Amino acid sequence: MGIKFIILKQPILLIFILIISFSILNCNSYKKESSESNYISWKEHTIDDYELSGNKISGGDGLVMADIDMDGFEDIISVHESDWKYDGIPRGHLRIAFGSNDPDIFYLTTIGEGQEVGGIEDVAVVDLNKDGFLDIIAACELSHITYFENPGKNIRTHYWKRLIPEITKNRGSFIRVFTADLNKDGQSEIITANKGSQAGYAKGATPKPISYFEIIGNPLNNSSWKETVLLNVLVPINAQPIDIDNDGDLDILVGSRGENRIVLMENISQDSIQFQAHNINISKIANLNLPNVEVSGFNLDFYDINKDTLLDIIIKDNQENLIWLEQPPIFSKEWIPHNIGSISPDILVGFVTADINGNQLMDIIVGSYSKGARTKDGNVTVNDHLGSLAWFEQPTNLSKKWIFHPIVRRKRGMYDKFIAYDMDKDGDLDFVYTRGNSHPFDGVYWIEQIRSKENPTVFFKSERIKDSEKMPFINQ
């Protein structure tokens, strides 16, 4: 966004224009250098949205990248709830943007829509039928799991056979889905969290299951699906596989929103599926800046932040702080919380670790969840919960404060899922992400990282001329 210089006769009007111009630059320009003495700015690129799709997609949520058609280019599988309010009507779109050698050219297609993907929330890819092609598993808030089988030929245009397994029907809201070979037999299991209802927690709610599904036979046959409940918790919100104890097998981190706790399901067998539950106990006294930390675990990431060979957990607490939990030598002991930062007053939702500035330290990009209207900007102020993108730079000394870098803040937006990927092959990391809560601007985007020796006058360059109104960051 450039500034047009206009000769004005009225001094008061001139002062007004200068104030407005400064406010715009303050919202979008960048004042700090990266650790490589380069300035970093960002350019927005649209991958898929309402206009490009030809469908009324909105409410972008889950996102996965994989080479679905095996042409050597990464494809982007995205889910769109296509719902502007929780009205119980099963809408949704499951989309694929097939990649090419140009990061701005994609072949777009819908492989599932309507009731079969009603309130679709999350997605995973796996070769479930062992034919050499990646299939797709979708978790739907209204209210089942759907399996889509890769046709193997004419993948971009051919119909994908599908099944809604009977044992998943009318079960409430499947909120997350992952795949993992839990017993190392060569066949992946499907791991899910079912929060019970689309609205989530309600008084008198009963615990709901964290489950895994084994596939024994053809995944298109109902009889092939076998469910095992791992744990029942109040409002399950996550069930993420990760080898947290570094013993060579996959454990599962469970999030319970209704109880404000996370649970480590430790994999205790190498050749069968057996788990032992351990509460993640967070120290209440280790960090005076984070008293009485509570977490629910909707989004999680993992990295050895302090380089002690133990995997730490990056998570949001219930006070909207992004924190990392330092793993103790014995994981049943107390985990120590450390503050990363917040984007207050905005509600943090999505994040992922990545070395953004190339200094061999893991930084974290974050996105927020706006709580106003989803179809218009409305009468909101800078003090409301808005939609923002930003990143935190890890300090070289972990006793120092993480450095906050704004990207963009709008009246509307929800940034739920990020993937770090060098889209333009220029040697630095870009980010692919979904955007919701801002119809008709919802969809899938990528932001290009641009490095320069000179401070850019525009820090974030929007692709659209018309979009949700930009707002300045505050309290940073």
Side-chain angles (χ1 to χ4, degrees):
M1 182 182 298
I3 298 177
K4 295 182 179 180
F5 290 92
I6 304 171
I7 298 175
L8 298 170
K9 296 181 180 179
Q10 297 89 344
I12 294 176
L13 185 56
L14 175 59
I15 293 171
F16 176 75
I17 292 294
L18 289 174
I19 291 172
I20 294 298
S21 299
F22 177 79
S23 297
I24 292 172
L25 285 176
N26 185 51
C27 179
N28 298 306
S29 63
Y30 182 59
K31 303 297 182 184
K32 301 173 183 176
E33 293 186 3
S34 78
S35 297
E36 288 192 332
S37 298
N38 287 325
Y39 290 95
I40 295 176
S41 61
W42 305 88
K43 181 181 178 182
E44 180 183 56
H45 301 256
T46 304
I47 295 171
D48 193 7
D49 67 357
Y50 182 91
E51 183 176 349
L52 292 172
S53 71
N55 287 296
K56 294 181 179 180
I57 67 169
S58 64
D61 262 309
L63 182 74
V64 174
M65 290 184 70
D67 187 2
I68 293 291
D69 56 359
M70 301 179 69
D71 64 352
F73 302 110
E74 291 291 292
D75 309 310
I76 300 167
I77 304 93
S78 60
V79 308
H80 309 265
E81 288 183 282
S82 301
D83 202 356
W84 302 322
K85 60 182 179 179
Y86 286 166
D87 55 10
I89 299 174
R91 307 179 184 92
H93 292 89
L94 174 58
R95 303 270 292 166
I96 302 179
F98 289 97
S100 70
N101 61 357
D102 186 325
D104 286 322
I105 296 178
F106 295 86
Y107 178 91
L108 303 172
T109 188
T110 297
I111 67 167
E113 59 185 322
Q115 186 170 357
E116 63 185 359
V117 289
I120 187 170
E121 179 74 22
D122 196 19
V123 66
V125 297
V126 64
D127 181 10
L128 203 60
N129 61 356
K130 310 299 293 179
D131 66 351
F133 296 94
L134 290 172
D135 309 307
I136 298 175
I137 313 292
C140 305
E141 285 192 285
L142 295 168
S143 54
H144 49 251
I145 297 292
T146 310
Y147 164 67
F148 292 87
E149 183 175 270
N150 192 323
K153 294 181 180 180
N154 301 317
I155 294 171
R156 297 186 176 192
T157 56
H158 214 71
Y159 178 79
W160 291 52
K161 295 179 181 178
R162 62 211 57 195
L163 174 74
I164 300 174
E166 288 290 337
I167 56 175
T168 73
K169 289 182 178 179
N170 303 314
R171 291 278 301 276
S173 291
F174 285 95
I175 189 74
R176 302 303 298 270
V177 61
F178 298 93
T179 63
D181 185 359
L182 297 174
N183 56 359
K184 300 182 181 179
D185 66 351
Q187 175 66 54
S188 291
E189 284 73 46
I190 298 165
I191 305 158
T192 67
N194 187 311
K195 68 176 182 177
S197 69
Q198 190 178 39
Y201 181 78
K203 186 176 181 180
T206 58
K208 298 294 181 181
I210 301 290
S211 301
Y212 69 87
F213 294 88
E214 294 177 271
I215 310 302
I216 305 170
N218 185 348
L220 289 171
N221 294 336
N222 274 300
S223 59
S224 298
W225 291 69
K226 177 186 175 184
E227 180 180 11
T228 300
V229 175
L230 282 171
L231 187 69
N232 286 289
V233 298
L234 194 58
V235 194
I237 205 70
N238 204 349
Q240 194 161 335
I242 182 76
D243 184 7
I244 195 73
D245 52 6
N246 196 31
D247 66 351
D249 55 37
L250 288 171
D251 313 297
I252 299 174
L253 260 291
V254 169
S256 172
R257 192 172 76 186
E259 299 160 286
N260 288 324
R261 68 176 177 132
I262 53 175
V263 181
L264 167 60
M265 302 299 295
E266 180 193 4
N267 192 334
I268 57 174
S269 176
Q270 290 289 327
D271 54 7
S272 63
I273 304 178
Q274 298 181 48
F275 288 90
Q276 182 176 348
H278 306 269
N279 281 328
I280 297 290
N281 299 309
I282 302 174
S283 173
K284 304 269 185 204
I285 60 174
N287 191 327
L288 297 178
N289 294 320
L290 291 170
N292 301 319
V293 172
E294 291 187 334
V295 297
S296 58
F298 174 63
N299 278 319
L300 302 167
D301 206 356
F302 306 91
Y303 193 75
D304 180 10
I305 297 288
N306 58 354
K307 300 186 185 303
D308 64 352
T309 73
L310 301 174
L311 205 56
D312 306 308
I313 301 173
I314 297 93
I315 193 170
K316 182 193 83 166
D317 72 11
N318 287 1
Q319 298 300 316
E320 301 304 324
N321 299 299
L322 186 65
I323 66 175
W324 64 280
L325 300 177
E326 179 183 347
Q327 183 176 166
I330 301 173
F331 56 71
S332 60
K333 301 296 184 181
E334 287 190 333
W335 294 56
I336 301 174
H338 301 272
N339 194 30
I340 294 170
S342 79
I343 48 175
S344 175
D346 299 332
I347 299 173
L348 192 149
V349 56
F351 52 86
V352 72
T353 56
D355 182 8
I356 294 174
N357 54 11
N359 68 347
Q360 310 305 310
L361 296 175
M362 279 295 179
D363 312 302
I364 305 174
I365 191 169
V366 299
S368 71
Y369 181 106
S370 62
K371 293 198 74 174
R374 299 182 178 186
T375 57
K376 60 182 180 180
D377 279 0
N379 185 24
V380 295
T381 72
V382 293
N383 296 309
D384 289 312
H385 305 306
L386 306 182
S388 57
L389 287 172
W391 64 283
F392 290 96
E393 179 182 352
Q394 183 182 156
T396 54
N397 184 339
L398 285 173
S399 66
K400 303 296 184 181
K401 185 177 180 180
W402 290 60
I403 303 166
F404 174 80
H405 298 275
I407 297 179
V408 66
R409 188 173 189 235
R410 298 188 185 277
K411 288 188 173 181
R412 290 182 291 144
M414 180 185 72
Y415 304 95
D416 200 341
K417 184 67 180 286
F418 297 92
I419 296 175
Y421 188 74
D422 185 3
M423 292 288 288
D424 50 7
K425 309 299 182 189
D426 65 350
D428 55 43
L429 285 177
D430 313 301
F431 289 93
V432 181
Y433 58 92
T434 51
R435 176 179 170 186
N437 278 20
S438 47
H439 181 80
F441 310 122
D442 291 350
V444 185
Y445 297 83
W446 70 279
I447 48 172
E448 175 187 356
Q449 182 180 162
I450 300 172
R451 298 182 183 180
S452 62
K453 295 295 183 182
E454 297 182 358
N455 189 358
T457 56
V458 177
F459 175 50
F460 176 82
K461 185 177 181 181
S462 303
E463 183 166 37
R464 286 190 181 90
I465 296 175
K466 181 181 179 181
D467 205 322
S468 177
E469 182 181 345
K470 291 180 182 177
M471 301 288 279
F473 285 83
I474 62 173
N475 298 332
Q476 302 298 336

